[in-house]
Amino acid sequence: MISINNLDFNYQKTKVFKDLNITFEKGKIYGLLGENGVGKTTLLKLICGLQKPTKGSCIVDNFIPFDRNPNFLNNIFFIPDEIVGYNGTSEKYSRNLGLFYPNYDHEYFIKICHDFEIDPTKNYKTMSFGQQKKAIIASALALKTEYLFLDEPTNGLDIPSKASLRKILANYCNEKTTLIISTHQVKDVENLLDNIIILDNEGVILAADTVSIASKLFFSYDQEMRSDALYSEMLPGGYINVILNDNNEESNINIEALFNTAHKNKELIKNIFNNI
Amino acid sequence: MNSTFNINRFWHLFKKEGFENFKRFATMIYLLWVIPIFTVLVNKIFRPGYITISDSRLMTILFFTSLLMVLTPSRLYANYNNNKTGIYRALLPASNLEKFLSMLSYCIIITPLLYFAGAIIIDSILTIIPGTDYKNFLFSTSINLNYPKLFESRMDLSIIILLITSSIMQIGIFSFFNMVFKKHKFSKTLLLVFAITLLLFITGTKFDEGCNLTHDEAYHIMFKVMITLIIITSLIAIATFYGTYYKIRNQKY
């Protein structure tokens, strides 16, 4: 479990987080959403141990991430937005990397490469950007770490690869794993997420599971804007209205609409989900 | 598994770094290996009959070895403190000590040793080939720098020790500033070292003014200076190596 308690973080004089409290549980896929510069990548870096909190704590399974204890590091993997290449073939790279991770599964790596339609014996440098990203994701998933952090994983992927990634990530998750996906491309991961965290400059606006969100907010597709809507947006053929779910009706969460609702009604959303 | 040092993990790291850095350090070494072959060809064409003595060849090899030692940190580990490319190293499941020792192994032992061994082999081959300007094998004649009598015995030993400690200090300085500077690591460090050396030299000549010493007095003072320099270079080496380790441990990305 990842526990972030009363965490403050600054980049020199720029305040990023103040008194941040979030818990990430095992067996769930989290979507980390927010505008540019609110600290999504910074939060992932704090959890990985690439940054140190200014105040407060971040604990991952009794480890302090910034200590970079190898027994902690061999159970996490972070795929940054901008990937960095390597010399040689993906297969060799993956095998070498796997030596550091006790659960590495080479067969699984080959299978993911097959699903992604990439050749693991091809030199990394000769691959296209999308293929390189898929090769890195395949290596990361084959490590079978309990914690996997992905920053904008679908950037640069073509449409079939996005679908493959969704399928692979859904299969990857079990009762021991925690996936945190930071993304702007919410449509790419819409049906994958168990929990949604929306950040802004003041911290967390919303941190809740999709069941709880669907029980408290109703996403209605209508011909017109509704007067009681917390947020409305014109779509082809009508409007999406986000309203309070007073009648306990079932609806599918539209993450984009949820994000905009949360931004337009920050205090209300904080009160509804009680995650101040 | 021990979180500070584990021999298997260190070996995996050592192999991985070798595999990933092979092209970078191989290019550096190939380039230096080619220089004597090129020189032999140039001499053959433009200076027929010219003989390159083994002592000067050995000095050149030693110079390139020490050059390689100071170049290696910025060539192989340039991305260690890079916010984007450095995170792969930082998150690799090996301890900070293992990462530090692996870096040190490549800077102090592997790269210089590979070059040195190869350079000796190339030199021997060039000596065997008839018609080159190499007439003697390296080490076939002892290096005779004609030290004055003043520098015999314990002074000789102190000079050798000083050469070793200052070489290690150089690696320490270049490793540390490789972790401090973000860009132009080698040239900035070289400028810094040059500035400090110049400052020390100017200070030294100030003290030297008006000295009128006998041979014995000069010997004792020189010996004390040597010992002081050995201590200073050792302390700088320890400080810079600790600094490098500290930066590896506390680098933020």
Side-chain angles (χ1 to χ4, degrees):
Chain A
M1 193 171 79
I2 302 168
S3 301
I4 293 171
N5 299 307
N6 310 110
L7 183 140
D8 287 5
F9 181 77
N10 308 328
Y11 276 117
Q12 288 162 347
K13 285 184 180 174
T14 313
K15 185 170 61 177
V16 182
F17 297 124
K18 182 158 173 58
D19 207 23
L20 186 72
N21 291 286
I22 315 179
T23 302
F24 296 91
E25 290 169 6
K26 291 208 170 184
K28 289 182 176 169
I29 303 178
Y30 289 83
L32 200 56
L33 314 177
E35 291 172 304
N36 292 328
V38 295
K40 299 186 297 295
T41 303
T42 304
L43 183 60
L44 294 182
K45 285 185 172 182
L46 282 160
I47 296 170
C48 289
L50 293 169
Q51 282 290 353
K52 190 180 182 183
T54 315
K55 210 181 109 191
S57 67
C58 172
I59 312 258
V60 183
D61 286 349
N62 298 323
F63 287 105
I64 296 169
F66 195 69
D67 289 347
R68 295 185 203 145
N69 186 312
N71 297 325
F72 158 73
L73 295 175
N74 69 19
N75 209 18
I76 65 148
F77 199 83
F78 173 48
I79 304 175
D81 182 14
E82 288 178 45
I83 52 165
V84 177
Y86 44 80
N87 293 322
T89 67
S90 302
E91 189 172 22
K92 196 158 188 180
Y93 169 79
S94 192
R95 227 185 251 281
N96 279 336
L97 189 66
L99 294 170
F100 295 88
Y101 295 83
N103 300 324
Y104 175 71
D105 184 345
H106 194 70
E107 297 300 313
Y108 189 55
F109 167 75
I110 300 291
K111 185 188 172 299
I112 300 168
C113 286
H114 179 74
D115 291 349
F116 274 146
E117 294 177 354
I118 52 166
D119 179 4
T121 60
K122 197 175 170 185
N123 193 306
Y124 179 86
K125 301 275 182 198
T126 62
M127 290 177 170
S128 71
F129 176 77
Q131 287 174 323
Q132 288 179 340
K133 187 134 192 176
K134 286 189 270 187
I136 296 269
I137 292 173
S139 299
L141 291 168
L143 300 174
K144 294 202 167 173
T145 56
E146 287 184 14
Y147 296 97
L148 184 61
F149 311 113
L150 302 106
D151 195 2
E152 299 292 352
T154 56
N155 271 5
L157 296 189
D158 53 26
I159 296 165
S161 301
K162 284 178 184 178
S164 299
L165 180 66
R166 273 196 296 271
K167 197 174 141 195
I168 291 164
L169 289 179
N171 289 331
Y172 182 83
C173 205
N174 59 44
E175 71 278 4
K176 282 184 176 176
T177 56
T178 306
L179 260 70
I180 306 179
I181 304 169
S182 161
T183 187
H184 291 290
Q185 316 292 326
V186 287
K187 290 245 184 284
D188 294 340
V189 291
E190 201 152 49
N191 298 319
L192 196 65
L193 307 176
D194 299 310
N195 283 58
I196 294 166
I197 294 167
I198 299 176
L199 298 173
D200 79 342
N201 293 323
E202 291 161 15
V204 179
I205 304 176
L206 179 145
D209 61 90
T210 48
V211 177
S212 156
I213 293 167
S215 73
K216 289 175 180 170
L217 296 173
F218 182 68
F219 297 81
S220 168
Y221 293 87
D222 306 295
Q223 289 299 314
E224 292 173 0
M225 276 176 72
R226 286 174 57 159
S227 57
D228 58 344
L230 300 173
Y231 174 78
S232 293
E233 189 185 327
M234 199 174 161
L235 297 175
Y239 284 85
I240 180 167
N241 292 298
V242 182
I243 55 172
L244 292 174
N245 192 6
D246 294 329
N247 301 325
N248 275 332
E249 291 176 87
E250 278 189 21
S251 65
N252 288 326
I253 299 170
N254 179 313
I255 299 182
E256 258 183 40
L258 172 70
F259 182 82
N260 289 325
T261 308
H263 264 267
K264 202 179 162 197
N265 307 275
K266 287 180 185 174
E267 288 311 313
L268 178 70
I269 293 292
K270 279 181 186 177
N271 287 331
I272 292 172
F273 292 94
N274 196 24
N275 60 337
I276 303 164
Chain B
M1 202 179 269
N2 190 329
S3 60
T4 310
F5 189 83
N6 177 283
I7 191 72
N8 286 335
R9 207 168 45 208
F10 175 73
W11 176 238
H12 292 327
L13 177 68
F14 185 77
K15 270 197 307 184
K16 188 176 188 299
E17 293 202 332
F19 168 69
E20 284 173 3
N21 289 328
F22 178 76
K23 268 191 183 167
R24 262 176 276 177
F25 71 73
T27 317
M28 253 188 331
I29 292 172
Y30 291 154
L31 216 69
L32 294 178
W33 277 344
V34 167
I35 290 173
I37 301 169
F38 180 73
T39 323
V40 165
L41 286 173
V42 168
N43 283 340
K44 183 85 185 149
I45 298 163
F46 297 106
R47 300 159 81 183
Y50 181 84
I51 291 170
T52 311
I53 58 163
S54 59
D55 284 354
S56 74
R57 276 149 42 205
L58 184 61
M59 282 299 162
T60 311
I61 290 172
L62 288 175
F63 170 75
F64 282 147
T65 308
S66 61
L67 180 72
L68 210 55
M69 280 173 157
V70 295
L71 267 171
T72 307
S74 58
R75 286 285 298 164
L76 302 192
Y77 298 93
N79 65 4
Y80 231 121
N81 60 348
N82 184 297
N83 285 350
K84 283 173 185 152
T85 50
I87 64 170
Y88 290 92
R89 262 187 223 278
L91 293 182
L92 197 70
S95 71
N96 295 317
L97 181 66
E98 288 155 0
K99 288 172 188 171
F100 171 70
L101 291 177
S102 176
M103 182 199 224
L104 230 57
S105 308
Y106 279 101
C107 294
I108 298 182
I109 305 164
I110 306 297
T111 319
L113 204 69
L114 259 176
Y115 163 72
F116 190 76
I120 300 285
I121 293 167
I122 289 169
D123 192 277
S124 306
I125 293 169
L126 289 172
T127 311
I128 293 166
I129 296 171
T132 65
D133 56 334
Y134 288 18
K135 295 296 169 210
N136 298 318
F137 284 105
L138 290 174
F139 309 113
S140 61
T141 55
S142 61
I143 303 167
N144 181 11
L145 294 176
N146 291 321
Y147 293 128
K149 206 179 173 188
L150 184 73
F151 290 108
E152 280 177 359
S153 66
R154 25 179 227 172
M155 187 60 92
D156 280 353
L157 186 68
S158 65
I159 288 169
I160 291 166
I161 294 171
L162 182 62
L163 277 174
I164 294 167
T165 55
S166 51
S167 295
I168 295 171
M169 178 192 73
Q170 275 179 26
I171 301 167
I173 289 171
F174 279 85
S175 300
F176 176 66
F177 285 104
N178 178 53
M179 297 295 294
V180 173
F181 296 132
K182 295 262 180 187
K183 284 179 180 173
H184 309 297
K185 294 157 184 264
F186 181 72
S187 50
K188 279 182 186 171
T189 312
L190 201 66
L191 273 175
L192 193 78
V193 170
F194 182 70
I196 293 169
T197 314
L198 198 69
L199 199 73
L200 288 174
F201 181 73
I202 293 166
T203 318
T205 49
K206 287 271 179 208
F207 279 110
D208 195 37
E209 281 169 11
C211 281
N212 192 12
L213 302 169
T214 62
H215 249 211
D216 274 357
E217 283 170 336
Y219 176 86
H220 287 298
I221 288 173
M222 276 301 285
F223 185 70
K224 277 181 184 171
V225 168
M226 283 293 167
I227 298 297
T228 313
L229 284 175
I230 288 169
I231 293 167
I232 290 171
T233 48
S234 305
L235 287 176
I236 294 173
I238 292 166
T240 48
F241 281 130
Y242 180 75
T244 310
Y245 172 71
Y246 180 84
K247 287 293 285 178
I248 290 174
R249 206 179 62 185
N250 292 294
Q251 184 68 44
K252 292 171 187 168
Y253 296 88

